[in-house]
Amino acid sequence: MAPLFSAPSARRGMNLGNALDAPADAAHALAPRERYLDAIRDAGFDTVRLPVAWSAHAAPTAPYTVRRAFAERVDRAVDAALARGLTTIVNVHHYHELHEDPEAHAERFLALWRQIAPRYADRDPALLHFELLNEPRAALTPERWNVLLARALAVVRESNPDRTVLVGPAEMNDLRALPRLELPDDDHLTATIHYYAPFPFTHQGAHWVEGSAPWLGTSWGADADRGDADRVAAERAAVSDDLAEAAAWAKAHGVPLFLGEFGAYERADLDSRARWTAHVRREAERLGIGWAYWEFGTDFGAFDPATDTWREPLRRALVPDGR
Ligand code: BGC
């Protein structure tokens, strides 16, 4: 299959998650330190996705001004990533009110892009990418999202005519919602999906997922006993089939595809996490899909900030050969 990479440089990425997207009361917030960007680049990643909770730092009323100190914090992270030659994806993350009440928040969402897009208009279009919105969902249905994304893209294009813009389908960027995503006619769009299946494995014990406690102990791809082979083969095939379905949609629509998040929560066993991560990553690469692991240094962390070292099984699963 022809490569679908959004850019030759956006192949192997890391989400610097729970940092600029962290809610003020987050137990797990991570500072976007420059040495983390060094660690990401030195390990062999070429891309960093920077989720940003712009809406949590913007005024509630028009013109919805983003607080300057926060915007400057984002600037520093963006420029530090770009200075390291990392392809950098900036998005609008955790805009929960928009998902719940799209009508009340549409203008505010567009006003955010009216501020973000010109702010970075002079950054290298080959390296800095925008992503319109993380995981549209709830009342932001596929139909409403199709209308809103076209409006947001038009706002971005006023100041950034050639920049790559990533757009994911509604229903939390689920690949099954790709068929309902309508992309405007634009030569610089990349579709993006998130992949967390099987969910009871990747989100076992996740405190934000109701009913996930009984999933604890779910392994993936474990071939301990004779007789496991069929189950393991089926687990692997399910992932491969899902990603192939997404790649086929992208090919049919002539649009590059990016897997912007995939990962397994820290309460799953590390061997299973490493097996699943390696399999998703390999399948994505085989299909020509660029990817970014969720996430660097908190509860899905491939890196342990307490010791400043990679969790080797996860690092090997992602970037086995380094640079
Ligand atoms: C959310 C995180 C969450 C992750 C996995 C991300 O999009 O921002 O809070 O941990 O998905 O569920």
Side-chain angles (χ1 to χ4, degrees):
M1 185 177 294
L4 299 169
F5 293 121
S6 51
S9 57
R11 297 186 176 197
R12 297 180 155 189
M14 178 58 74
N15 276 280
L16 201 52
N18 296 325
L20 297 165
D21 53 322
D25 59 351
H28 271 315
L30 187 79
R33 299 190 195 289
E34 298 212 6
R35 70 169 191 275
Y36 296 158
L37 295 167
D38 288 336
I40 290 168
R41 181 202 51 199
D42 293 347
F45 296 93
D46 54 44
T47 298
V48 66
R49 180 170 177 260
L50 291 177
V52 183
W54 295 98
S55 64
H57 301 270
T61 51
Y64 310 108
T65 307
V66 175
R67 267 200 297 279
R68 193 167 140 191
F70 180 74
E72 289 175 356
R73 233 179 125 212
V74 180
D75 296 348
R76 284 195 291 278
V78 167
D79 289 329
L82 294 177
R84 285 162 177 77
L86 291 162
T87 297
T88 304
I89 301 168
V90 167
N91 76 352
V92 169
H93 208 87
H94 281 326
Y95 195 168
H96 304 299
E97 305 89 332
L98 176 66
H99 308 303
E100 299 306 326
D101 192 349
E103 256 175 55
H105 282 268
E107 288 308 324
R108 188 166 181 263
F109 172 63
L110 298 174
L112 293 180
W113 278 111
R114 221 165 264 124
Q115 297 170 74
I116 303 163
R119 189 168 191 98
Y120 301 115
D122 67 351
R123 304 309 197 274
D124 185 348
L127 279 191
L128 181 65
H129 298 181
F130 293 153
E131 178 187 329
L132 295 180
L133 180 66
N134 184 63
E135 298 189 350
R137 55 178 172 270
L140 192 47
T141 57
E143 296 69 30
R144 290 197 183 114
W145 175 228
N146 287 335
V147 175
L148 187 58
L149 76 86
R151 294 181 67 199
L153 182 67
V155 168
V156 169
R157 288 291 174 244
E158 285 168 18
S159 53
N160 290 258
D162 302 323
R163 189 171 304 284
T164 295
V165 174
L166 286 80
V167 188
E171 296 176 1
M172 303 183 80
N173 296 157
D174 188 336
L175 60 93
R176 298 262 136 68
L178 280 171
R180 276 166 292 157
L181 176 67
E182 281 172 20
L183 293 178
D185 188 14
D186 182 299
D187 289 340
H188 302 282
L189 289 184
T190 291
T192 182
I193 53 169
H194 293 176
Y195 193 71
Y196 288 106
F199 203 65
F201 165 65
T202 65
H203 278 69
Q204 55 189 287
H207 59 83
W208 65 98
V209 178
E210 214 179 306
S212 65
W215 300 340
L216 284 166
T218 308
S219 63
W220 190 89
D223 200 353
D225 299 313
R226 239 200 297 269
D228 281 351
D230 286 352
R231 178 184 45 76
V232 169
E235 285 173 349
R236 297 171 67 85
V239 170
S240 308
D241 291 351
D242 283 346
L243 294 179
E245 184 180 323
W249 178 92
K251 198 175 177 206
H253 289 76
V255 65
L257 185 63
F258 191 73
L259 173 58
E261 287 187 15
F262 70 105
Y265 188 52
E266 63 186 357
R267 302 213 42 204
D269 73 89
L270 188 55
D271 288 345
S272 291
R273 292 169 73 198
R275 276 191 296 268
W276 180 87
T277 301
H279 183 60
V280 175
R281 193 268 303 163
R282 275 197 219 107
E283 288 301 280
E285 290 184 352
R286 191 175 61 77
L287 293 160
I289 303 169
W291 52 262
Y293 177 75
W294 183 269
E295 45 68 50
F296 175 71
T298 71
D299 48 7
F300 287 62
F303 186 89
D304 180 2
T307 56
D308 259 333
T309 53
W310 290 95
R311 294 195 168 94
E312 273 303 309
L314 292 174
R315 186 204 57 78
R316 272 198 307 275
L318 293 165
V319 281
D321 340 308
R323 291 222 283 172

